[in-house]
Amino acid sequence: MKLRRVELRRVRMPLVAPFRTSFGTETERDVLLVRVRADAGDGWGECVAGAEPLYSSEYVDGAQDVIGRHLLPRLFALPDARAHLVGPALAAVRGHPMAKAALEMAVLDAELRVAGVPLGAHLGAVRDAVAGYVAAGYRRVKLKIEPGWDLEPVRAVRERFGSDLALQVDANAAYTLADARRLAGLDAFDLLLLEQPLAEDAVRAHAALARMVRTPICLDESITSARAAADAIALGACAVVNVKAGRVGGYLEARRVHDVCAAHGVPVWCGGMLETGLGRAANVALAALPNFTLPGDTSASDRYYHADLTPPFVLEDGRLRVPAGPGLGVDPVPERLRELTTSVRELAGDA
């Protein structure tokens, strides 16, 4: 599959409500979409990098630059740009997993559309729907916490909804090991997990914290590859892993993270990055693999967007259907794409 042209498109997606984490508050997403045009067919990818380098060192302007300046020339040079060859072709460029993941996703979409194979089937999905506000049928609630806003809101939610609610918290690396006693206070609330309480590179400190608290520790930012997952598990730093394809460099590496965790008896769940329907389709397909045994960030479209780029994902009894069409199984709605686009850049390989 020879790559001919690639379109880098920016779209602005207003959020239904402000989205707050320990990094700050977002009211809209500036999303980079990648559309590859190969001699065999087209495919879509989505970059999950944020507007600023806060969750990770990547940010959307930087991702667009590195794709155009450093990654695409290497893909254009390949006589065969099938998805499993994308990672090795880009390995010489250090870092930038979110940019690389967007390209791999687009190439994988194109390849699977030509083959007539759904992404879920290609990855090894074993379910045709995945679990996704409680009144709307959501099966899990995740609260963002930070120093000064942790025990009290968790207590309030647990008291309001009772012990049957699957409840977890995400600290986005906002604490240090000196906060271990405070974090141990969360044990009283019977949480599913405590996600990434300490810094990304503090794997040994997470292992120490895991010995001080009863709540299972889940790693997010620390899991940058299947190798990193294996190391964290061996150190006892986590009992659960959050898998994000953008963070590990693509859906093929995300599947390898899943496989490593499954081999060690560590359950995983699919994290989200406020994706549009394109990225949401890929996440739902990934979340249908067998070791994704905890509900993930696979919410309905209207949880974050009044109108999605694609036909909306809708909850059915607290679950989202895995797209059954080839590739991602969804396409942008043309009028929505035109309405939300802020810029388009097209790059071509040599004829």
Side-chain angles (χ1 to χ4, degrees):
M1 191 172 75
K2 177 65 177 175
L3 207 60
R4 300 300 180 187
R5 289 180 295 151
V6 172
E7 175 187 287
L8 302 179
R9 181 183 292 261
R10 299 282 281 273
V11 297
R12 180 162 287 118
M13 300 284 293
L15 293 168
V16 169
F19 184 78
R20 182 185 174 189
T21 68
S22 60
F23 303 125
T25 302
E26 292 181 79
T27 58
E28 64 180 17
R29 294 276 339 275
D30 177 10
V31 182
L32 171 62
L33 302 179
V34 177
R35 186 179 190 181
V36 301
R37 298 178 182 274
D39 52 10
D42 295 357
W44 286 96
E46 178 175 339
C47 182
V48 297
E52 297 182 87
L54 302 176
Y55 170 79
S56 80
S57 59
E58 290 187 85
Y59 61 103
V60 67
D61 286 336
Q64 180 166 337
D65 182 74
V66 78
I67 288 173
R69 193 186 301 263
H70 299 287
L71 302 184
L72 278 181
R74 288 170 165 81
L75 288 192
F76 283 137
L78 292 178
D80 183 358
R82 283 178 294 169
H84 72 282
L85 301 173
V86 171
L90 303 182
V93 178
R94 292 183 179 272
H96 305 281
M98 294 178 181
K100 293 176 180 178
L103 282 174
E104 183 201 83
M105 176 179 169
V107 171
L108 186 56
D109 185 32
E111 180 182 330
L112 295 179
R113 285 176 188 265
V114 172
V117 176
L119 176 59
H122 179 75
L123 293 177
V126 295
R127 296 181 288 272
D128 61 5
V130 299
Y133 318 98
V134 174
Y138 284 88
R139 296 170 177 262
R140 180 206 61 151
V141 167
K142 178 167 78 170
L143 291 181
K144 297 286 188 177
I145 62 170
E146 59 185 277
W149 204 87
D150 41 35
L151 299 182
E152 291 73 18
V154 172
R155 180 181 292 108
V157 172
R158 181 55 84 203
E159 290 176 353
R160 168 63 179 83
F161 293 102
S163 59
D164 290 338
L165 174 67
L167 180 62
Q168 65 190 65
V169 295
D170 182 7
N172 287 122
Y175 296 84
T176 71
L177 194 56
D179 298 306
R181 181 172 295 182
R182 179 80 176 178
L183 293 170
L186 295 168
D187 291 344
F189 304 115
D190 192 26
L191 302 177
L192 278 176
L193 55 90
L194 166 57
E195 183 179 356
Q196 197 69 41
L198 312 179
E200 173 183 336
D201 58 355
V203 178
R204 288 174 63 89
H206 276 104
L209 179 64
R211 295 191 291 269
M212 301 178 192
V213 301
R214 294 196 311 273
T215 304
I217 300 296
C218 170
L219 290 183
D220 175 0
E221 288 94 325
S222 298
I223 305 300
T224 55
S225 65
R227 183 186 303 170
D231 289 345
I233 293 167
L235 286 170
C238 60
V240 184
V241 165
N242 173 345
V243 182
K244 287 178 179 169
R247 192 191 61 234
V248 301
Y251 285 88
L252 300 184
E253 183 67 11
R255 180 174 59 186
R256 287 188 279 270
V257 174
H258 163 276
D259 294 347
V260 164
C261 292
H264 290 85
V266 173
V268 299
W269 57 281
C270 184
M273 297 286 284
L274 302 179
E275 290 91 346
T276 73
L278 293 170
R280 198 171 304 275
N283 284 350
V284 170
L286 179 67
L289 271 65
N291 195 41
F292 284 88
T293 56
L294 298 175
D297 290 340
T298 46
S299 59
S301 296
D302 63 4
R303 175 67 182 87
Y304 296 110
Y305 301 117
H306 291 291
D308 208 337
L309 273 179
T310 66
F313 281 82
V314 179
L315 278 176
E316 302 173 13
D317 188 30
R319 299 177 185 274
L320 296 177
R321 289 286 171 190
V322 178
L328 295 176
V330 299
D331 288 289
V333 177
E335 55 270 26
R336 284 290 293 163
L337 191 61
R338 287 193 298 270
E339 174 190 349
L340 295 169
T341 293
T342 57
S343 69
V344 180
R345 182 186 179 196
E346 191 159 296
L347 299 153
D350 294 334

